[in-house]
Amino acid sequence: MFWLLLISVGAIVIAVFGLPGLRRLVITGPVFALYRKILPRMSQTESDALAAGTVWWEGELFSGKPRWAKLLAYPAPKLTPAEQSFLDTECAELCRLANDWEATQIHHDLSPTAWQFVKDKGFLGMIIPRRYGGLEFSAYAHSQVVQKLSTRSSAAAVSVMVPNSLGPAELLLRYGTEAQKDHYLPRLAKGLEVPAFALTNPHAGSDAAAIPDTGIVCMGEWQGQQVIGMRVTWEKRYITLGPVCTLLGLAFHLHDPDHLLGDVEDIGITCALVPSNHPGVNIGRRHWPLNAVFQNGPNSGENVFMPLSWIIGGPQMAGQGWRMLMECLAAGRSISLPSSSTGMAKLAVRATGGYARVRSQFNLAIGKFEGIEEALVRMGGNTYLMDAARMMTAGAVDLGEHPSVASAIVKYHVTERARQVVNDAMDILGGKGICLGPSNFMGRAYQQIPIAITVEGANILTRSLIIFGQGAIRCHPYVLSEMQATQNRDARAGLRAFDAALIGHVGFAMRNALRTVWLGLTGSHFVGVPENSAPETKRYFQQLTRFSAAFAFLSDVSMLVLGGGLKRREKLSARLGDILSLMYLASATLKRFEDEGRQSADAPLVHWAIWDAMFKAQNAFEGVLANFPNKAVAWFLARIIFPLGSPYVVPSDALGHDVAKCLIEPSSTRDRLTAGMYLPQNEAEAMNDAVGVIELALEATLAAEPVEAKLRAALRAEDAGKVGARVAVDMPAAMRSAANHVANNERERLRHAQQAGTLTAAEAALVTRRYDLRDKVIRVDDFPPDFSVAAHD
């Protein structure tokens, strides 16, 4: 009887799920009807935002079974000979011209010479094709330039970065009419036009789609004729390059109350190009963002008439502005802030690591104290990971992707880790770091790090709402299809599409549930890894596969249990986004290690970066489970995801020690970790540069260390009386008295040691150079009481 009942139930289940018509009638039809009732109709703005960009590796991580061979097969980004030459020549020269102290204290901007160099050498047209006079650089080359400039001057980096990311040039390239391209792109490429793009309104910051700036379609006079145009009223702020722009990109909400363009009255967000000298355009004064001196400010206009031909793409693109912005932002955010933040981190790592070896306390380099070492470890591991994510994501853009979710991941996590790196650097530098002046290489970076946290999607918003909120819809193989099916005005066609997506979704969730249990019980030891991967990274591929399956399963359960309420539970959404993000960052780190030829000396950086990311991902899992509103479901999920307990702990101190060593002495690892940053080209230039002096001092410190060890040994012997008798015989009484008086003066000790024959003249010269350069490194700038002198002294 039992078996008959079991067979009957099984037959019913097979019949229901195996026969599409019956399945739609009994299961998916009622669910579809419910979804159509409870899901609000998606606005065009929401639809455009969700459709923007492409899904790349983050989609694999959402699959529960990432294809690692696919990741490793993506080509590593490389520079062309022309791009490398520009980086080594023009970019290096701009770095030399862009003295950050002079920019902030004297010019309050780039110097006129630097600005002219930017325009003349094509920095404003790096993304513009050569046929229009631009440089036509790859996304990776663009990233390399921004990164290098960021190791010298935020004013230079931002002034170059913005025109090449979200701005008129990119919008014109993708959507402009041929006439608009032919007119503006050559002028932008040659620096004859300085562009800015005005989006943010005082009343619509994070909710940029709700900008109240309006344009009304109307008749007006243009070039002596009555034409259909727009009267636009706007108020913008935080517009980078706004105060110096000659060409203003403008986003506003266009309305056609008189139906001059057609039946639609609310046309939607529209983007136009407006010459800044056009009557009625008010370019306001400057903002002053945390002592950064890149040009940034407000602008406005009231009932400014402009022709429809100024709409980017012409009148037919009216109302398409939000889609345009979302699609362009995906590429721009992949490059701008990740590159500038990584450059800032490389500056901090190289200079602070060198400083920690040059600076001594208690007769020991401060970089060898465990407390300092702990901060150095975070700096090194974070910078390695940040650079890996920057390069991989820029490479994706060059492959034709516009990874909207990945760009949000790198924007948030790279800027946050840059904040950690800069904070750690300031802790190590101590008093040296808090006194501004030409020799302080971190002060301005410390002041300005909140700018990167705030712009291009504030980090709180990006983490809480975008990464998982958009990622769950775009990266999941079925959710977007289900949503689109419920929005279909043809209910019958919508049901068929929904049925296919829902059944696929159920199978997907069940497979990931089973994989999660199996991988948890076996510790993921039986997961296959790419044949060409490094042996030392095998376990990371396996554990990431386990986390991917668990993440996909947890996401499905969360969406099922919480539904639309998950969007309002921003903390849970943020933690789910953290898991996805940390898997992406760990993937990038693994790829970097492979792309760079598995450099064994870099292994400590790789191990620390991935271990730290996996530990934090594990914490994010636990954070979701601990705060899941349904405690019974949470208990069940915890047994599925971590059946044998949590596999990760914090990275070990022994591993951290190996990482810190990479930062405080010259090596190929240190060079790779800080590759692409600007360094002075010769000793004369280095002696007048804060970072250059540290490089010279580090070299001198290492050269003098054996001699200093010999000197200390001699002094210890003298204290024990072994050398005292000889010194007493060799020195007159007055000299002995002087020697005793200056026993704590290192230069006097050095002189007496040379006189006593303990050191040769060459050895004494090595130590003297070490002392001279060290003193220059630890020097803190000072100024007259009234601060009337603010230049080099």
Side-chain angles (χ1 to χ4, degrees):
M1 186 69 178
F2 170 78
W3 292 107
L4 180 62
L5 178 62
L6 186 64
I7 292 172
S8 299
V9 171
I12 292 172
V13 171
I14 292 172
V16 170
F17 281 91
L19 300 174
L22 182 59
R23 182 178 66 230
R24 287 195 287 268
L25 179 65
V26 175
I27 299 177
T28 55
V31 176
F32 176 70
L34 177 63
Y35 268 46
R36 283 173 70 90
K37 287 182 179 179
I38 64 175
L39 286 180
R41 180 156 294 279
M42 197 181 305
S43 70
Q44 188 61 47
T45 298
E46 292 173 318
S47 179
D48 289 344
L50 286 175
T54 59
V55 176
W56 189 57
W57 179 250
E58 63 273 34
E60 288 287 328
L61 295 172
F62 227 113
S63 72
K65 194 175 182 180
R67 292 172 289 178
W68 297 109
K70 179 181 179 181
L71 174 71
L72 299 184
Y74 289 129
K78 297 185 182 300
L79 298 174
T80 66
E83 291 168 342
Q84 186 66 61
S85 175
F86 185 88
L87 200 68
D88 294 339
T89 306
E90 285 84 355
C91 191
E93 178 63 12
L94 180 54
C95 285
R96 190 187 66 79
L97 293 172
N99 182 291
D100 198 50
W101 180 249
E102 291 181 2
T104 56
Q105 296 301 118
I106 299 174
H107 303 292
H108 305 293
D109 192 359
L110 287 177
S111 70
T113 302
W115 254 121
Q116 195 59 49
F117 188 83
V118 165
K119 296 174 181 179
D120 292 344
K121 299 300 180 180
F123 281 90
L124 301 181
M126 289 191 294
I127 66 170
I128 295 176
R130 281 186 287 273
R131 69 178 181 273
Y132 296 111
L135 297 176
E136 200 172 338
F137 278 178
S138 63
Y140 180 59
H142 175 192
S143 176
Q144 290 290 93
V145 169
V146 171
Q147 175 191 248
K148 189 165 191 170
L149 293 175
S150 297
T151 66
R152 282 291 282 178
S153 166
S154 65
V158 174
S159 298
V160 168
M161 174 177 84
V162 169
N164 289 286
S165 55
L166 178 60
E170 185 172 7
L171 291 167
L172 281 169
L173 283 170
R174 297 190 65 178
Y175 309 107
T177 66
E178 290 305 314
Q180 289 172 338
K181 293 178 184 180
D182 291 341
H183 176 73
Y184 281 119
L185 289 178
R187 295 180 59 79
L188 289 166
K190 296 174 183 176
L192 299 176
E193 300 278 9
V194 176
F197 192 85
L199 173 61
T200 303
N201 180 282
H203 301 287
S206 298
D207 189 10
I211 52 175
D213 310 294
T214 59
I216 304 297
V217 179
C218 62
M219 298 298 295
E221 185 174 332
W222 175 249
Q223 296 181 342
Q225 295 182 339
Q226 285 290 311
V227 299
I228 298 176
M230 309 168 288
R231 289 203 176 274
V232 185
T233 297
W234 73 93
E235 182 183 5
K236 304 291 188 179
R237 65 180 180 187
Y238 310 146
I239 310 307
T240 300
L241 297 187
V244 297
C245 77
T246 62
L247 183 63
L248 183 67
L250 186 62
F252 54 91
H253 204 114
L254 186 62
H255 301 270
D256 185 12
D258 296 328
H259 301 284
L260 297 178
L261 299 182
D263 296 333
V264 178
E265 182 172 326
D266 185 358
I267 293 177
I269 293 177
T270 300
C271 296
L273 290 179
V274 185
S276 62
N277 62 359
H278 181 63
V281 176
N282 175 33
I283 296 296
R285 303 194 300 173
R286 289 179 64 175
H287 298 312
W288 193 4
L290 293 175
N291 278 332
V293 294
F294 58 84
Q295 292 283 346
N296 184 280
N299 61 76
S300 62
E302 185 172 355
N303 290 323
V304 178
F305 184 80
M306 54 189 73
L308 293 177
S309 61
W310 285 9
I311 295 173
I312 297 175
Q316 64 270 23
M317 292 300 288
Q320 301 298 309
W322 190 245
R323 176 175 64 85
M324 293 159 62
L325 293 173
M326 289 297 97
E327 291 176 351
C328 289
L329 186 64
R333 283 205 306 179
S334 298
I335 297 167
S336 55
L337 291 173
S339 303
S340 59
S341 296
T342 303
M344 192 183 300
K346 289 185 175 184
L347 166 65
V349 162
R350 183 143 191 142
T352 307
Y355 177 89
R357 186 61 175 269
V358 171
R359 178 73 157 137
S360 296
Q361 295 285 276
F362 310 106
N363 291 319
L364 185 68
I366 64 171
K368 296 183 179 181
F369 287 95
E370 288 196 356
I372 300 294
E373 188 177 82
E374 190 173 23
L376 288 171
V377 171
R378 289 192 297 267
M379 293 175 68
N382 280 330
T383 300
Y384 187 92
L385 179 145
M386 291 163 61
D387 204 18
R390 173 191 71 88
M391 291 188 290
M392 187 171 91
T393 311
V397 176
D398 282 330
L399 293 174
E401 302 288 345
H402 292 85
S404 55
V405 178
S407 71
I409 289 172
V410 292
K411 190 279 171 184
Y412 172 77
H413 285 275
V414 173
T415 58
E416 285 293 339
R417 287 174 184 256
R419 172 153 59 180
Q420 177 72 71
V421 169
V422 170
N423 283 343
D424 282 331
M426 290 294 286
D427 286 350
I428 293 171
L429 294 172
K432 166 80 173 179
I434 64 173
C435 293
L436 289 174
S439 62
N440 185 337
F441 55 88
M442 286 308 300
R444 293 302 187 194
Y446 179 74
Q447 285 183 307
Q448 295 165 22
I449 194 70
I451 298 172
I453 300 298
T454 302
V455 301
E456 292 193 19
N459 278 12
I460 290 177
L461 166 76
T462 301
R463 177 174 179 259
S464 300
L465 294 177
I466 295 178
I467 295 177
F468 184 76
Q470 189 173 18
I473 297 172
R474 289 304 313 276
C475 301
H476 194 287
Y478 299 104
V479 169
L480 182 59
S481 298
E482 291 167 344
M483 292 180 64
Q484 290 172 335
T486 64
Q487 303 289 317
N488 196 325
R489 297 185 184 278
D490 183 341
R492 183 170 296 180
L495 174 58
R496 286 195 297 270
F498 183 82
D499 174 74
L502 183 61
I503 293 304
H505 193 159
V506 170
F508 174 78
M510 292 179 64
R511 288 192 299 274
N512 279 319
L514 294 173
R515 283 176 55 78
T516 299
V517 174
W518 168 249
L519 295 175
L521 290 172
T522 62
S524 69
H525 284 282
F526 300 106
V527 173
V529 298
E531 294 182 2
N532 58 339
S533 61
E536 60 263 47
T537 59
K538 173 183 177 181
R539 288 295 294 143
Y540 299 136
F541 284 111
Q542 292 176 327
Q543 289 283 34
L544 278 167
T545 298
R546 173 188 174 180
F547 276 25
S548 173
F551 168 71
F553 175 61
L554 179 59
S555 298
D556 273 327
V557 173
S558 298
M559 288 186 283
L560 175 65
V561 173
L562 300 177
L566 182 57
K567 181 179 180 180
R568 293 186 295 274
R569 294 183 179 272
E570 295 176 19
K571 296 174 185 177
L572 288 182
S573 180
R575 293 182 183 110
L576 289 165
D578 287 344
I579 300 169
L580 176 61
S581 299
L582 290 161
M583 290 192 296
Y584 183 88
L585 298 176
S587 301
T589 303
L590 287 169
K591 178 164 175 56
R592 176 181 180 178
F593 186 61
E594 293 289 342
D595 287 347
E596 293 183 349
R598 304 179 188 175
Q599 301 292 332
S600 59
D602 298 356
L605 293 164
V606 177
H607 290 307
W608 191 94
I610 298 179
W611 198 273
D612 178 71
M614 296 297 284
F615 176 65
K616 288 176 177 173
Q618 175 182 283
N619 287 345
F621 272 114
E622 292 170 345
V624 173
L625 297 175
N627 293 279
F628 206 81
N630 188 314
K631 298 305 178 184
V633 173
W635 182 91
F636 169 76
L637 289 171
R639 272 67 193 164
I640 295 291
I641 294 172
F642 296 121
L644 301 179
S646 304
Y648 278 95
V649 295
V650 296
S652 71
D653 290 345
L655 175 60
H657 176 72
D658 292 338
V659 172
K661 284 176 61 179
C662 298
L663 273 63
I664 62 173
E665 57 190 37
S667 67
S668 57
T669 292
R670 183 170 179 259
D671 290 339
R672 281 189 293 272
L673 184 62
T674 60
M677 70 173 291
Y678 175 78
L679 292 171
Q681 303 301 300
N682 52 63
E683 182 164 336
E685 183 184 349
M687 286 297 290
N688 293 300
D689 179 85
V691 178
V693 170
I694 291 175
E695 291 290 297
L696 296 175
L698 177 60
E699 179 184 325
T701 296
L702 295 175
E705 278 184 349
V707 182
E708 289 187 290
K710 179 180 177 181
L711 177 59
R712 285 194 297 271
L715 290 172
R716 285 194 297 269
E718 182 177 353
D719 290 340
K722 296 177 181 179
V723 183
R726 189 186 69 200
V727 172
V729 171
D730 292 344
M731 290 185 181
M735 185 175 291
R736 289 201 304 274
S737 176
N740 291 332
H741 181 70
V742 296
N744 292 323
N745 186 307
E746 60 187 10
R747 292 181 185 271
E748 287 297 329
R749 289 199 303 270
L750 179 63
R751 183 171 64 83
H752 289 308
Q754 184 180 352
Q755 288 178 343
T758 303
L759 300 181
T760 66
E763 289 174 327
L766 281 177
V767 179
T768 298
R769 177 174 170 79
R770 146 48 174 179
Y771 289 164
D772 290 342
L773 288 168
R774 178 209 57 198
D775 289 349
K776 193 171 179 64
V777 165
I778 66 175
R779 173 177 176 260
V780 175
D781 300 292
D782 55 80
F783 306 95
D786 63 355
F787 278 90
S788 60
V789 177
H792 293 274
D793 60 345

